[in-house]
Amino acid sequence: MRRRSSDRLTAGDRSLRAIALAVTWISMLLILFPFVLTISNAMKDNVRIYDVPPGILPSPARSLSIVVDYDGVEAENLEAAIRDDMVSAMFGVYTRLSRSSIFETRFYGVRGGKTVFYARAHQIQLQMEKDYGIYKGTVLKPQTLLYRDRAERAARAIGYAFGANGLADHAAPTLAQAETMETLMEALGEKFPLRGHLSACNLRKNNALLLESFVHYMKLPQYIYGKDNPRIATYGFMAFVGNTVLVIGFAILAQLLLCSVSGFVISRLLQPRAARLALMFFLGAMMIPFVSIMIPQLIMYREMGAYNNYAALLLPFLYPYGFYVYLFKGFFDRIPHSYFEAARLDGASNLYLYASICMPLSKPIIALIALQVFLGNWNDFFWAWLVTEKQDLWTLNVALYNISNNVSTKQNALMGIAFVTILPVILLSLIFSKQLKESIMASGVKG
């Protein structure tokens, strides 16, 4: 009877374990699904992202190579003629073949059997020029593409190479895919005429272009704000990353220093009654809702001159956070008294006890608090949005909010920037997951 009871219990344990694993995996999939969907939408083009019903995975990216022969064009006007054709062909493909998932267009100008002109553009780059750049607010047709110096400016923005004697590094493909040729000729046709003769073209898959989209998403702030802000024009999205790193780095250093000093004083220098009152003060401050002090704090900062500058972003971190003070105090309480007594017999000061005994032994708690400060402030938005108007002071989340409010911002670009914004948090959590777990275990305090 005992054996049968044991067998039934084992079977029940296995069933419970199987159910727990199933629930865990289902929960993980549900949690990861929005993240996967964000990445997928970021890699879609600006047309297919609006498909109904939406596709979970992006369509395979394709690269189009266009070869145009210029044997009949005068050499004196050759560069300008090819440049105009390149702009017409690229934006014609972008406009007329928008549902073909063409993420890259390569343009080859050939004369006398040699490649004399080469240009290459990613679809997102053309999208940026259309939404924010040279062709903002225009209808893409030859009259607008080639108006005055627009084609020359667009070609410089895209980038190209020209050599009348040939470009050895850019050999033009000779394969002419009949179906692709027919589709391209129909797409360009009379709407986007070329001066040269379309001699070859081919279409191939290249899914690496999906990842390249993120590189161009990082240049989006340069298109939107670069004209009015030299710093953003130079550094692009990295200007916002720099602001965020500065704020978080200052927050980590300030909280570690102030909270550890406060915890040391409460743990080792104050009498028990005073220590309890001081600790209750810090813990009680945590219970005050930010919304109740938001306006007074903002007014105070404006009167101090700490508004629309770095001081407004950094000064709030000069107040020790109560929970971190509590963690440091609890950790210092666990250090044996014999360490301090031996040091005091040798004439050690309180500063020495703090810097040479407490802090070296506090590496687990320091790692825990540093990670928590980073994770807690990376996504901080409201205060930074409240005290900054200058674009070059924006942190990542403030920049993301303002970019999302731009009417020209496409959803794929917004998803791409959002993914890049949360990527450091995910990587940090994965890389330091073991240290985070050990720090949490080591930070336990006795009641």
Side-chain angles (χ1 to χ4, degrees):
M1 291 295 294
R2 291 181 180 177
R3 185 174 182 179
R4 291 178 181 177
S5 176
S6 177
D7 291 341
R8 285 197 300 270
L9 183 61
T10 302
D13 287 344
R14 290 176 181 176
S15 300
L16 183 61
R17 182 179 180 183
I19 293 173
L21 287 174
V23 170
T24 301
W25 279 105
I26 292 173
S27 300
M28 289 178 61
L29 291 176
L30 291 175
I31 293 172
L32 291 175
F33 180 74
F35 179 68
V36 173
L37 195 60
T38 299
I39 301 174
S40 174
N41 286 333
M43 292 190 291
K44 293 179 182 178
D45 58 46
N46 62 326
V47 174
R48 289 191 173 274
I49 195 173
Y50 298 106
D51 285 350
V52 179
I56 297 179
L57 298 178
S59 302
R62 301 200 286 179
S63 173
L64 174 65
S65 296
I66 304 173
V67 183
V68 182
D69 193 288
Y70 291 91
D71 282 339
V73 179
E74 295 181 5
E76 185 178 348
N77 301 320
L78 184 61
E79 183 177 357
I82 302 178
R83 190 173 57 213
D84 291 350
D85 279 2
M86 179 268 288
V87 173
S88 296
M90 285 187 172
F91 283 97
V93 169
Y94 171 79
T95 303
R96 304 281 291 174
L97 300 177
S98 58
R99 296 193 61 84
S100 300
S101 296
I102 298 176
F103 274 75
E104 178 189 55
T105 304
R106 295 175 180 267
F107 186 92
Y108 299 85
V110 178
R111 182 180 173 88
K114 297 180 180 179
T115 301
V116 296
F117 186 98
Y118 171 78
R120 180 256 185 195
H122 193 275
Q123 186 206 65
I124 304 300
Q125 187 177 8
L126 301 177
Q127 174 182 316
M128 302 280 186
E129 292 295 340
K130 169 62 177 68
D131 294 339
Y132 312 100
I134 298 167
Y135 298 113
K136 179 182 179 181
T138 65
V139 178
L140 294 180
K141 55 184 180 179
Q143 291 84 347
T144 56
L145 289 173
L146 307 180
Y147 182 70
R148 293 186 178 179
D149 64 339
R150 281 180 175 174
E152 182 179 356
R153 289 160 52 204
R156 284 202 304 266
I158 293 172
Y160 69 90
F162 175 78
N165 296 323
L167 300 174
D169 297 335
H170 303 288
T174 57
L175 176 64
Q177 297 173 342
E179 184 178 352
T180 304
M181 180 78 76
E182 182 180 352
T183 302
L184 184 60
M185 293 180 67
E186 182 180 351
L188 300 179
E190 296 180 357
K191 291 185 177 294
F192 298 93
L194 303 179
R195 297 187 188 182
H197 170 68
L198 183 62
S199 61
C201 66
N202 63 72
L203 200 61
R204 60 186 178 84
K205 291 183 180 180
N206 183 3
N207 286 324
L209 297 170
L210 299 176
L211 298 177
E212 188 182 341
S213 298
F214 292 97
V215 176
H216 295 281
Y217 293 149
M218 296 301 96
K219 300 177 182 179
L220 181 59
Q222 293 172 299
Y223 284 91
I224 303 178
Y225 309 111
K227 294 180 181 179
D228 302 321
N229 197 303
R231 186 183 174 199
I232 296 178
T234 303
Y235 299 106
F237 198 74
M238 294 306 298
F240 308 133
V241 175
N243 291 335
T244 305
V245 171
L246 173 64
V247 171
I248 292 179
F250 180 84
I252 291 174
L253 293 177
Q255 289 298 302
L256 287 176
L257 176 63
L258 297 176
C259 294
S260 61
V261 169
S262 300
F264 175 77
V265 171
I266 294 173
S267 174
R268 295 296 173 182
L269 302 183
L270 296 181
Q271 295 297 323
R273 181 181 176 85
R276 285 194 296 271
L277 290 175
L279 187 60
M280 287 302 298
F281 168 78
F282 285 111
L283 295 178
M286 294 174 54
M287 303 177 186
I288 301 174
F290 174 70
V291 68
S292 65
I293 63 171
M294 175 183 65
I295 300 302
Q297 182 172 305
L298 178 62
I299 295 174
M300 181 182 69
Y301 274 48
R302 288 180 69 102
E303 294 297 326
M304 292 169 52
Y307 179 79
N308 210 22
N309 50 39
Y310 283 110
L313 295 171
L314 302 179
L315 285 180
F317 297 105
L318 293 181
Y319 177 81
Y321 185 56
F323 180 64
Y324 301 150
V325 174
Y326 174 72
L327 289 180
F328 269 117
K329 187 263 183 189
F331 194 87
F332 293 157
D333 285 345
R334 297 169 58 189
I335 299 176
H337 288 276
S338 58
Y339 291 5
F340 299 95
E341 292 173 358
R344 288 190 185 280
L345 289 175
D346 292 335
S349 62
N350 290 327
L351 180 61
Y352 180 87
L353 298 178
Y354 163 77
S356 300
I357 296 179
C358 290
M359 294 307 289
L361 295 175
S362 303
K363 292 180 181 178
I365 202 73
I366 291 174
L368 171 66
I369 293 176
L371 284 172
Q372 287 189 346
V373 172
F374 178 89
L375 297 175
N377 290 282
W378 181 266
N379 293 321
D380 184 52
F381 164 76
F382 193 73
W383 178 254
W385 172 76
L386 200 63
V387 298
T388 57
E389 295 179 8
K390 294 180 182 178
Q391 297 165 352
D392 54 1
L393 291 174
W394 288 347
T395 56
L396 281 174
N397 288 285
V398 177
L400 181 61
Y401 170 77
N402 285 283
I403 291 173
S404 67
N405 284 337
N406 190 295
V407 294
S408 298
T409 302
K410 298 294 190 297
Q411 289 300 310
N412 56 348
L414 186 59
M415 293 292 180
I417 295 176
F419 168 71
V420 174
T421 301
I422 63 177
L423 185 61
V425 176
I426 297 172
L427 292 178
L428 190 69
S429 300
L430 292 175
I431 294 173
F432 295 101
S433 59
K434 182 178 179 180
Q435 290 83 348
L436 183 59
K437 187 185 301 183
E438 292 176 351
S439 299
I440 293 173
M441 294 173 61
S443 64
V445 294
K446 298 181 179 179

